[in-house]
Amino acid sequence: MCGIVGYTGPRQAYPVVVKGLKRLEYRGYDSAGVALVNGDLKVFKKKGKVADLEENNVGKDLNGHIGIGHTRWATHGEPSDRNAHPHQSQSGELAMIHNGIIENYAQIKQELLSKGYTFKSDTDTEVLLNFIDDIKKNNNCSVEEALRIALKRVVGAYCILLISKDDPETIIAARKGSPLVIGIGKGEHFLASDASPIIEYTKEVVYVNDYEIAIVRPDELILKNLGNEKQTPYITKLDMELAKIEKGGYEHFMLKEIHEQPETIHDCLRGRLQVETGEIKMGGIQNHIDALVNADRILMVACGTSWHAGLIAEYVFEELCRIPVEVEYASEFRYRNPVVKKGDVIIAISQSGETADTLVALEKAKEQGAFIFGVVNVVGSSIARISHAGAYTHAGPEIGVASTKAFTGQLAVLMMMALKIGYAKGTISKERYLHLMNELDAVPDKVKQILADTSNIERIANKYKDATDALFLGRGYNFPVALEGALKLKEISYIHAEGYPAAEMKHGPIALVDENLPVVFVATKDSYYEKIISNVQEIKARKGRVVAVASEGDNVITTMSEDVMFVPECDEVIAPLLSTIPLQLLSYYVGVAKGYNVDMPRNLAKSVTVE
Ligand code: G6P
């Protein structure tokens, strides 16, 4: 969370930085700011979105060929103009932006206060900046050297960009835990939290590693470690298209990304799922097939929507591979003392590949000898790089804060993995294996069918938009889908929603049911169908308002539900890939009907790089 951008080169920096910040707004949008050097060091910042900053800057002198900019997701200090980044050192000589958390900032602040420093903001960033400036003064050293000394004291995570009044060419950057990409142009450099602000200028990038410092000038990029030793920058070619990060005629990124799913799921399966030959080609699995087939246990580690993908995968892996699976919240896993041993396989699931809790959990498990397999969307991200092996989801850049197409991409990858491992292990028959391959292959077209006409879902959304609470219920493979449906509604429409196993509802949530409560059943035709129909009856008997996601042609559930959203029939193992789509649309349309910014829901951020 927090997006950072930097530019040094012959162009005007302000437009480059502001455009980049707009691309990174999914990372946080509590405030935005830019610092430029043009004779003097000038800082412009404002509470709110990047557009508010731009409006506030109309008519100002925004010239300068070097600039840094920040879009904030608040950690230390409320969202306000004064807590917005960039921060300026007390001497006025340095300006800095930061993504991350300095955990020992209070102690450093105390030391600086006793030296007579005063602070304009409540942020940990301003403390680190003055600490660097203080070291520079006391040691009579360069900013780079002062930064290096300061970072040795710092506990926490950071990606920082630093510029000085006296140096109209150099941006100094450092990273630990929070991402940083540097784009290499002709006589110019671009810095950003991800590649999206860079893509229109250059395809050559360097991913900076933890504990590295970058000294970036228009025609020079020097990478060093904290020991001041030069590192060789490893240049990667970006495989990303500009069109993929623009709205392409849709009103919101979320809607565009929901509608992209036939294509993204197809891209994910393409070249891997070879129905004609009965093969699943996944290099990451094939190269480590023994570790995977012989795994004593699989631990899925993830957060948010990715955690729900893990829960679905638990059902699929246990069914098809007969390997015990545990699904862990990364934030809990990293702090308790989990039992991890050699022979355990950790499957890390993450859209961004940068979620701090997931990243640290993996580092911990890796130290204990586990094999790490990453299921990641963002190519070259930190989780992708620390994994022993992995499979990308190939969903393309996901900008909407609520995850949609990345989630179905994760499911597609995990289902292919389970099929491949189960078949290699002999825990599924050839017949079932081939049947499920065909079922997976048919998913993109079936998703297309659901998306062909969304007017019924939009109507249902408008009907229930004023509900204050909602319950989402499912069984088996569709239970985690219910959890994800509830999460989506909370995120986008701010309606309190809970997901529950449909039968477990009797042990508490049923007390909430009255004639106002919408109860969304995910009740496609599967081996639990008869059971869930009984649960529907139980809700109806208490006058709850039943909304169902059901299989096409089901005319039993229509008699019991106020409203139904149909999906094509499919094997129950595959069902979550379809049953989740109407729920994404439902929350989207409720959010829109309520007038909310569905791409940037309040308080949330997409890439959570703080713990
Ligand atoms: C945030 C996002 C969610 C996402 C979660 C995990 O909360 O808003 O959409 O599921 O982080 O992120 P990851 O990038 O690790 O999948």
Side-chain angles (χ1 to χ4, degrees):
M1 43 217 354
C2 296
I4 61 170
V5 182
Y7 174 77
T8 175
R11 299 173 203 251
Q12 284 293 334
Y14 182 77
V16 175
V17 170
V18 162
K19 195 169 185 189
L21 290 179
K22 286 188 176 159
R23 296 242 165 89
L24 293 180
E25 253 185 328
Y26 71 84
R27 302 177 67 88
Y29 28 83
D30 289 331
S31 62
V34 174
L36 303 165
V37 178
N38 186 18
D40 204 1
L41 177 58
K42 290 177 289 188
V43 175
F44 309 89
K45 49 192 198 173
K46 190 85 199 122
K47 180 180 171 189
K49 305 221 160 66
V50 180
D52 299 313
L53 172 75
E54 274 186 298
E55 206 183 300
N56 198 51
N57 287 347
V58 172
K60 294 185 182 163
D61 174 10
L62 300 165
N63 282 306
H65 297 281
I66 182 168
I68 55 175
H70 186 269
T71 175
R72 178 170 187 246
W73 187 85
T75 58
H76 292 59
E78 54 164 19
S80 63
D81 289 355
R82 74 188 179 88
N83 284 331
H85 298 216
H87 292 283
Q88 217 168 340
S89 60
Q90 188 166 294
S91 66
E93 281 172 26
L94 305 176
M96 189 169 94
I97 53 178
H98 168 216
N99 167 24
I101 290 181
I102 307 301
E103 287 172 19
N104 56 342
Y105 86 103
Q107 194 192 341
I108 300 173
K109 187 171 186 175
Q110 218 43 55
E111 290 168 21
L112 292 171
L113 283 169
S114 67
K115 288 183 174 181
Y117 279 84
T118 54
F119 293 89
K120 294 190 213 95
S121 75
D122 309 317
T123 64
D124 48 347
T125 308
E126 193 189 5
V127 173
L128 174 59
L129 178 59
N130 279 319
F131 184 46
I132 296 166
D133 210 12
D134 189 58
I135 294 172
K136 179 176 167 284
K137 248 188 340 210
N138 294 340
N139 294 280
N140 198 15
C141 64
S142 66
V143 182
E144 181 197 328
E145 186 55 29
L147 172 66
R148 205 178 349 266
I149 298 170
L151 292 183
K152 287 185 184 152
R153 268 277 315 270
V154 161
V155 179
Y158 54 81
C159 172
I160 55 175
L161 303 190
L162 193 58
I163 51 175
S164 12
K165 187 162 123 189
D166 303 331
D167 189 342
E169 290 212 316
T170 311
I171 299 175
I172 302 181
R175 153 187 179 153
K176 187 203 152 203
S178 305
L180 175 62
V181 191
I182 301 180
I184 303 167
K186 289 200 172 67
E188 57 184 350
H189 283 104
F190 306 83
L191 300 91
S193 301
D194 75 26
S196 59
I198 297 175
I199 184 74
E200 67 190 272
Y201 308 106
T202 174
K203 293 218 160 184
E204 293 201 333
V205 295
V206 170
Y207 291 95
V208 177
N209 292 313
D210 278 350
Y211 304 107
E212 281 181 348
I213 292 183
I215 299 101
V216 191
R217 303 193 177 94
D219 45 19
E220 189 177 38
L221 164 61
I222 302 169
L223 273 188
K224 292 182 178 176
N225 62 17
L226 290 185
N228 201 20
E229 292 158 339
K230 280 200 178 171
Q231 310 291 301
T232 313
Y234 178 73
I235 299 174
T236 312
K237 269 235 161 347
L238 284 177
D239 178 21
M240 191 193 256
E241 290 159 40
L242 191 56
K244 292 249 164 89
I245 53 173
E246 290 177 343
K247 280 191 201 152
Y250 284 93
E251 204 179 330
H252 297 102
F253 280 112
M254 184 178 177
L255 188 62
K256 176 187 173 226
E257 287 158 5
I258 291 173
H259 278 272
E260 276 174 351
Q261 288 174 111
E263 193 191 315
T264 54
I265 298 170
H266 180 259
D267 284 348
C268 177
L269 303 176
R270 194 179 48 201
R272 292 168 164 168
L273 191 79
Q274 306 200 342
V275 179
E276 316 73 48
T277 57
E279 273 177 284
I280 295 178
K281 291 214 157 143
M282 298 176 88
I285 306 277
Q286 196 55 50
N287 297 339
H288 300 277
I289 196 76
D290 290 342
L292 292 160
V293 163
N294 299 317
D296 297 328
R297 189 173 63 140
I298 293 176
L299 291 154
M300 308 269 175
V301 179
C303 303
T305 290
S306 299
W307 185 78
H308 292 154
L311 284 183
I312 293 168
E314 175 182 22
Y315 282 72
V316 181
F317 272 77
E318 293 204 339
E319 170 71 22
L320 302 182
C321 310
R322 308 306 297 148
I323 301 172
V325 177
E326 282 165 41
V327 189
E328 299 272 0
Y329 280 118
S331 53
E332 288 298 313
F333 182 80
R334 65 179 282 195
Y335 283 115
R336 62 188 170 78
N337 189 10
V339 180
V340 181
K341 47 186 179 15
K342 225 169 174 309
D344 283 342
V345 168
I346 307 268
I347 299 184
I349 311 166
S350 176
Q351 188 287 127
S352 61
E354 300 293 348
T355 303
D357 283 323
T358 311
L359 196 54
V360 178
L362 298 181
E363 280 162 0
K364 202 166 162 184
K366 205 173 171 183
E367 274 165 25
Q368 294 178 53
F371 175 75
I372 314 287
F373 193 95
V375 176
V376 172
N377 193 38
V378 177
V379 176
S381 55
S382 302
I383 294 175
R385 285 184 289 146
I386 73 155
S387 299
H388 293 110
Y392 284 117
T393 44
H394 295 312
E398 191 181 65
I399 313 288
V401 164
S403 184
T404 53
K405 64 174 182 171
F407 177 64
T408 47
Q410 291 165 346
L411 295 182
V413 164
L414 290 160
M415 287 172 184
M416 280 191 287
M417 285 176 69
L419 271 173
K420 190 169 171 67
I421 296 168
Y423 189 53
K425 202 172 171 197
T427 41
I428 44 169
S429 66
K430 182 161 189 183
E431 199 189 352
R432 181 117 178 89
Y433 168 76
L434 292 175
H435 168 70
L436 286 172
M437 279 184 79
N438 275 295
E439 284 286 283
L440 255 183
D441 195 45
V443 165
D445 280 342
K446 290 183 179 174
V447 173
K448 212 182 266 173
Q449 281 177 47
I450 303 171
L451 295 171
D453 182 3
T454 58
S455 56
N456 177 46
I457 302 175
E458 190 172 356
R459 178 193 61 77
I460 296 173
N462 279 297
K463 180 170 166 188
Y464 296 94
K465 72 176 187 346
D466 296 320
T468 52
D469 305 270
L471 204 53
F472 285 71
L473 303 176
R475 298 182 80 128
Y477 296 94
N478 277 328
F479 154 54
V481 175
L483 292 182
E484 174 59 11
L487 177 65
K488 279 278 125 355
L489 193 70
K490 274 186 278 213
E491 284 179 303
I492 302 302
S493 72
Y494 318 147
I495 293 175
H496 167 244
E498 277 193 52
Y500 245 78
E504 185 65 19
M505 156 278 283
K506 291 192 288 295
H507 302 285
I510 199 166
L512 300 172
V513 177
D514 61 15
E515 62 283 3
N516 299 315
L517 185 78
V519 183
V520 181
F521 277 92
V522 192
T524 52
K525 282 274 173 69
D526 57 19
S527 48
Y528 307 83
Y529 179 73
E530 304 300 333
K531 302 278 175 210
I532 203 164
I533 287 296
S534 309
N535 300 137
V536 173
Q537 297 287 21
E538 287 155 10
I539 295 292
K540 261 195 76 79
R542 284 152 186 93
K543 300 198 166 42
R545 305 179 72 184
V546 175
V547 180
V549 175
S551 300
E552 253 153 33
D554 180 348
N555 42 31
V556 173
I557 205 149
T558 38
T559 63
M560 303 172 191
S561 313
E562 241 185 274
D563 292 287
V564 183
M565 300 174 275
F566 287 109
V567 297
E569 259 198 84
C570 70
D571 191 285
E572 64 180 7
V573 174
I574 310 293
L577 273 166
L578 303 183
S579 52
T580 201
I581 310 280
L583 301 182
Q584 296 173 345
L585 285 162
L586 181 69
S587 63
Y588 170 79
Y589 284 121
V590 174
V592 170
K594 296 183 80 129
Y596 297 144
N597 184 342
V598 292
D599 282 338
M600 295 180 205
R602 71 180 177 209
N603 303 337
L604 295 176
K606 189 156 187 69
S607 191
V608 184
T609 51
V610 295
E611 60 175 271

